[in-house]
Amino acid sequence: MATLPKITILGSLNIDLVSYVPHHPLPGETLSATSFKVSPGGKGANQAVACGKLSRSSSSSSIPPSAQIKMVGAVGSDTYGTLLLSNLSSYGVDPTLITSIPNAKTGIAIIIVDEPTGENRIVLSAEANNLCSGQEFIEKALEKGTDLLIMQLEIPMETVLAATEEAKRRGIKVLLNPAPAKKLPEEVYQGLAHLIVNETEASILGEVDERELDTEEGLERVSEGFIKRGVENVVITLGARGVYYMDKSGKKGLVEAEKGIKVVDTTAAGDTFVGRYALDVVGGGFDIEVAVKKGNKASAITVQRAGAQDSIPWKDEVE
Ligand SMILES: Nc1ncnc2c1ncn2[C@@H]1O[C@H](COP(=O)(O)OP(=O)(O)OP(=O)(O)O)[C@@H](O)[C@H]1O
């Protein structure tokens, strides 16, 4: 049997503790929530789940998986850590390279959602995610046979930078989704295979006003800027407008978002896009336009469902 292409995600794992309230509490106020839920999250884990679900069938037997997905990161030695690992397994992601750090706590996001308006307030405690540093993580992320390394910016920047440099040295392709946006050193862009940004990230990293992205000419200028800095493939996701792409050969275009759908919750739309696009990167005969169109279709399914990882479609739902 041919070996499956291998994608590794090096990034964050969090547990979201979500309380739904009739209004945001005032200072000193104790408020009863109308409902509460615990759900696995973190951009790293969400993108790993997107790769896992989109590379295999929900019924597991009918379609064989199209890729092997591994996650590298850190959790605490608590029940939330255990929950995150078993959750990844259930979505087809191999969690065995994730480090459970003794005496550390798992990353937590405390989210309060005002039910009438949907406005949320979030307190993020990165905890174990902040301890994701050192050569051990880089070696795991670049294990022999890795075809693509995906990273975001919810773990220490020095880990992302060191892993990027080492991946380039070893000839392993990197897909960087620099979220949340932070300025990056220029050498990151040089030889970077795939850069996927949303509008906010594009304007911060591209050093332009967000209004510049309102027109196709503006999107072209910003993308060209990244290509000149050494990126091979640039993708800007535009929410309800769709996706803009450009590669170093000059191939470019705007793919419109799917129309006539009922948008319920856009959480994890970007993560779904990254997962579907990544599977095309390792699938052979990569064509940026085709990869972007598939990503756009998959994330249109995610926005029609509530939740984060739950809302990401399986392979048999997009084919
Ligand atoms: N309202 C929508 N209708 C159709 N498709 C959408 C809509 N919103 C998002 N999408 C799809 O999802 C992709 C990613 O969305 P977006 O640009 O908002 O990413 P993001 O800001 O990284 O999202 P998130 O952080 O919530 O995961 C879009 O490029 C588009 O393909």
Side-chain angles (χ1 to χ4, degrees):
M1 204 179 92
T3 48
L4 291 175
K6 181 168 151 190
I7 300 177
T8 300
I9 297 88
L10 168 58
S12 59
L13 299 114
N14 287 328
I15 286 288
D16 295 344
L17 303 177
V18 194
S19 292
Y20 296 85
V21 293
H23 63 86
H24 281 299
L26 298 168
E29 182 181 3
T30 300
L31 192 64
S32 291
T34 41
S35 61
F36 172 74
K37 72 172 198 233
V38 177
S39 51
K43 278 218 154 272
N46 287 352
Q47 291 179 15
V49 167
C51 290
K53 291 179 83 174
L54 287 160
S55 63
R56 62 206 68 221
S57 151
S58 52
S59 54
S60 72
S61 55
S62 56
I63 314 177
S66 61
Q68 188 191 354
I69 316 298
K70 291 198 172 198
M71 168 123 203
V72 177
V75 294
S77 51
D78 48 27
T79 49
Y80 289 142
T82 315
L83 174 64
L84 281 165
L85 302 193
S86 62
N87 178 67
L88 285 175
S89 296
S90 72
Y91 288 131
V93 179
D94 178 352
T96 52
L97 296 177
I98 295 170
T99 311
S100 286
I101 302 182
N103 302 319
K105 295 186 184 76
T106 297
I108 295 285
I110 295 176
I111 304 173
I112 301 176
V113 183
D114 175 31
E115 274 200 309
T117 64
E119 183 198 74
N120 59 26
R121 296 188 182 179
I122 304 176
V123 180
L124 187 66
S125 301
E127 299 294 331
N129 295 306
N130 270 348
L131 304 175
C132 212
S133 58
Q135 194 58 24
E136 170 207 346
F137 287 94
I138 291 161
E139 285 306 326
K140 284 180 177 175
L142 299 175
E143 222 187 32
K144 201 160 171 279
T146 306
D147 296 295
L148 177 69
L149 173 64
I150 304 180
M151 291 181 289
Q152 316 74 29
L153 299 182
E154 290 186 343
I155 58 168
M157 179 67 100
E158 63 269 21
T159 304
V160 175
L161 300 181
T164 304
E165 284 316 298
E166 190 52 33
K168 287 179 195 165
R169 253 198 298 279
R170 296 187 193 183
I172 296 172
K173 288 195 185 314
V174 174
L175 186 164
L176 185 62
N177 174 226
K182 291 179 198 120
K183 285 252 162 76
L184 299 165
E186 274 312 300
E187 57 267 28
V188 172
Y189 298 104
Q190 196 55 53
L192 179 67
H194 303 275
L195 177 71
I196 300 186
V197 287
N198 67 11
E199 289 164 284
T200 310
E201 292 142 15
S203 82
I204 293 173
L205 301 178
E207 296 170 6
V208 295
D209 191 287
E210 229 173 281
R211 277 171 302 187
E212 174 91 4
L213 307 171
D214 287 349
T215 63
E216 207 165 325
E217 294 71 40
L219 288 163
E220 186 177 328
R221 269 195 299 278
V222 173
S223 303
E224 248 164 26
F226 288 124
I227 298 279
K228 283 200 184 108
R229 289 156 97 175
V231 180
E232 291 169 6
N233 297 279
V234 177
V235 175
I236 307 177
T237 64
L238 304 164
R241 288 164 61 206
V243 192
Y244 188 82
Y245 67 88
M246 182 184 282
D247 73 9
K248 67 176 180 189
S249 76
K251 183 167 177 163
K252 62 192 173 207
L254 178 68
V255 173
E256 289 201 1
E258 298 282 304
K259 297 272 178 294
I261 58 172
K262 189 170 178 292
V263 178
V264 173
D265 176 0
T266 62
T267 310
D271 298 328
T272 304
F273 181 90
V274 167
R276 184 50 258 185
Y277 178 98
L279 289 166
D280 254 40
V281 170
V282 299
F286 176 73
D287 177 330
I288 188 168
E289 183 182 356
V290 174
V292 163
K293 284 183 172 164
K294 287 187 191 168
N296 189 51
K297 265 210 158 78
S299 41
I301 296 177
T302 299
V303 302
Q304 294 177 68
R305 302 169 175 177
Q309 298 181 359
D310 285 350
S311 67
I312 299 169
W314 294 90
K315 183 180 179 187
D316 50 345
E317 295 178 275
V318 292
E319 284 177 358

